[in-house]
Amino acid sequence: MLLRDHPRLGGITRELDFERRLTRADGLLLMQDPDLPSVLALGEASKRARYGSDVFFNSNLHINQTNVCVLACRFCAFRRGPAAPDAYALDIDEYLARLAPYAEHVDEVHTVGGLHPEWTIDHYEALFSSIKREFPHVTVKALTAVEIKHLADISHLSIAQTLSRLRDSGLDILPGGGAEILSDEVRDIICRGKESSAEYLAIHRTAHELGIPTNCTMLFGTIETASARVDHLLSLRGLQDETGGFQCFVPYPFLPDHTRLPQAQLASANEVLRVIAVSRLLLDNIPHIKAYRMNIGDRLAQLALNCGADDIDGTVGHEEIMHSAGSTTSLDDGRPELARLVRDAGCTPVQRDSLYTHFRRYQDPPAPGRAHLPVAGQVVS
Ligand code: SF4
C-alpha cells in the first residue's frame, strides 16, 4: 500500500508531498498512530529528500567542567553538592590539560556542567579566551540556557549582556541543553528551579539576535504526555520561524540510573525512533536532527539514521552526564570507527564543521587502526 493511501496517515503524506506544513493535529497523530513502521518511513523519506544517504558528524570532545550545582533536578544523576566527596570543578589549567591531548584531532569542544555557586562570568570569560588562545582552531560550544541564566543572575547582568561578553571571549555556539520539556507543569516536577519554558526560548532568541547559533533539545520519557512533546516541537518551530538561529535538534530519552524520578514512564526503543521521525516531520525549518549516541547508544543511533536523523554526535572522547545516568556508549571511537558505524547503517559519512558550513565526504585513512584518542582520518572533498 502506498503511504498516500494509508487510512490515517494518507492525508499527512499528501501534505508532505505538496511541502505543506504539518499541524498540531498531524503531530499528535504521528506521535500516537499504531502503525509505527509507516511513521518511521515518513520520517526517513523526509530525511532522504533533504540529504539522500548523507549523515553528518564532526570531531568533537565533551568536557563537563564541574558537577557542582546549586539545583537538584530530579532527572539528573550528574550533579553534586559542593561538599560531596566526588564533587569536582576543573580550574582553567585542568580544563586545558584535559583538552590538550585531543586538540590536534578535534574541531569542537562541547562544554556543559552544573551551576557552580562561585563561578561568575569572569571565570567563563577567562576559560573561553584561554581555549581560543591555546587552540584557536577549536569551536567552543558551551553552556545550556540555565547556565546562561545562572551566570547572568550571579554576575548581575542581563541575558544579552551575559551572552555578548561570552561571545566576545570565545563562545561560538550554545549546545541547546536544558530544554527538557517546554511545559512548566512538567518542569515543576522534574526540574523545579530551572529556567521556565519562556525563559529557555527567550535565552535562545537573544543568542540568535546576537549572532550566536544554537542547537535545541528535548528530554522525553519522564512524565510528559504525547501532546506535551508535540507542543514542545511546535514551540521550537515557532522560534525558528522568527530567528532562523537553530542549527540542529537533539532529542534524547531520560536515563534513570541514580536519578529521583520513579514515576518516569521511560521511553522504549520504538518511542525513541518515533520521536526522531516525528521531529524530522514537524521541524520543517530546523536543518538537522541528531542521533545522540551518547544517550541512545550506537545500535539505536544506527536505526535512527534510517528514521529521520541526518546527524550523529560525534567522536566525543569523554562524557560524564549521560554516563552518570546509565549510558554505556563507547567513548574511544575516532573518526574511522564513527564512519564505519554510519556506513553499517547504510548511510554515507560526511564530516562537517561545527557551523555546518563546510562538508567533506569521509574517506578512511590508508592504514586504518583503532586508537584511544581521535584518529586523524584522511578527508577528501
Ligand atoms: S540538570 Fe543541570 S541544572 Fe539540573 S541538577 Fe543537573 S547539572 Fe544542575
Side-chain angles (χ1 to χ4, degrees):
M1 179 182 65
L2 292 172
L3 277 174
R4 71 175 71 92
D5 298 324
H6 192 285
R8 295 177 305 281
L9 301 174
I12 290 177
T13 307
R14 288 189 290 278
E15 295 296 303
L16 292 168
D17 284 346
F18 289 110
E19 298 185 352
R20 283 200 285 260
R21 174 161 272 189
L22 299 185
T23 64
R24 184 173 188 275
D26 294 330
L28 280 172
L29 180 57
L30 290 163
M31 209 56 99
Q32 296 173 302
D33 194 275
D35 186 358
L36 178 64
S38 292
V39 174
L40 303 186
L42 284 172
E44 173 62 1
S46 178
K47 181 265 175 182
R48 290 259 165 183
R50 287 167 181 257
Y51 304 114
S53 67
D54 287 352
V55 164
F56 307 101
F57 72 98
N58 71 345
S59 252
N60 62 353
L61 171 69
H62 286 225
I63 299 180
N64 303 118
Q65 70 276 24
T66 180
N67 63 357
V68 174
C69 188
V70 299
L71 290 184
C73 302
R74 291 176 66 190
F75 65 79
C76 179
F78 171 69
R79 65 85 58 190
R80 296 289 185 275
D86 53 352
Y88 73 86
L90 302 178
D91 66 26
I92 291 174
D93 288 341
E94 290 169 330
Y95 184 103
L96 295 175
R98 186 167 290 189
L99 173 54
Y102 296 86
E104 186 184 345
H105 306 290
V106 301
D107 43 36
E108 173 188 292
V109 63
H110 176 131
T111 284
V112 296
L115 312 182
H116 195 286
E118 291 163 10
W119 284 354
T120 65
I121 193 166
D122 297 338
H123 173 84
Y124 282 96
E125 285 180 311
L127 174 63
F128 296 158
S129 58
S130 299
I131 297 170
K132 290 295 187 184
R133 185 181 61 245
E134 298 294 322
F135 311 108
H137 66 286
V138 172
T139 298
V140 176
K141 184 167 84 179
L143 303 179
T144 62
V146 74
E147 290 178 274
I148 298 294
K149 177 174 160 28
H150 174 70
L151 276 184
D153 288 345
I154 67 169
S155 307
H156 308 292
L157 297 168
S158 70
I159 296 295
Q161 289 169 327
T162 304
L163 284 167
S164 297
R165 283 178 55 173
L166 293 172
R167 178 198 59 195
D168 293 346
S169 66
L171 175 70
D172 295 299
I173 305 171
L174 298 187
E180 323 316 356
I181 285 285
L182 295 173
S183 153
D184 290 333
E185 201 180 329
V186 173
R187 299 175 83 77
D188 192 47
I189 295 169
I190 69 172
C191 56
R192 181 173 293 179
K194 221 167 191 179
E195 85 281 21
S196 69
S197 305
E199 286 174 323
Y200 178 90
L201 294 169
I203 289 165
H204 282 261
R205 180 183 291 107
T206 304
H208 299 168
E209 288 167 353
L210 292 168
I212 304 170
T214 76
N215 290 346
C216 49
T217 60
M218 178 169 79
L219 173 76
F220 59 97
T222 61
I223 59 167
E224 81 286 351
T225 60
S227 61
R229 293 177 186 174
V230 171
D231 288 338
H232 180 107
L233 296 175
L234 296 183
S235 294
L236 298 175
R237 190 173 78 177
L239 180 54
Q240 182 74 340
D241 280 343
E242 284 179 46
T243 66
F246 287 132
Q247 299 188 129
C248 182
F249 175 63
V250 192
Y252 43 82
F254 169 62
L255 300 178
D257 287 6
H258 312 297
T259 64
R260 299 179 297 119
L261 207 54
Q263 68 272 50
Q265 315 148 48
L266 305 183
S268 67
N270 279 352
E271 271 189 280
V272 171
L273 297 178
R274 182 191 293 269
V275 167
I276 293 273
V278 179
S279 303
R280 179 62 289 162
L281 294 166
L282 280 189
L283 298 178
D284 52 16
N285 54 1
I286 296 184
H288 300 282
I289 307 291
K290 189 185 292 285
Y292 193 46
R293 68 187 190 95
M294 281 306 98
N295 177 283
I296 64 177
D298 286 348
R299 303 286 83 83
L300 194 50
Q302 286 184 303
L303 293 174
L305 297 180
N306 285 288
C307 300
D310 65 276
D311 195 280
I312 188 164
D313 193 73
T315 53
V316 177
H318 190 95
E319 195 280 337
E320 288 170 79
I321 294 176
M322 298 299 173
H323 284 76
S324 301
S327 169
T328 56
T329 303
S330 165
L331 287 167
D332 64 354
D333 287 348
R335 282 179 261 185
E337 288 80 9
L338 194 55
R340 187 180 314 132
L341 184 152
V342 171
R343 287 195 190 105
D344 284 351
C347 302
T348 305
V350 176
Q351 193 161 0
R352 61 168 175 82
D353 65 355
S354 296
L355 294 169
Y356 296 87
T357 51
H358 292 89
F359 303 91
R360 292 178 176 178
R361 290 195 188 282
Y362 181 83
Q363 188 175 76
D364 285 325
R370 191 172 179 80
H372 287 284
L373 292 179
V375 175
Q378 180 186 354
V379 173
V380 295
S381 298

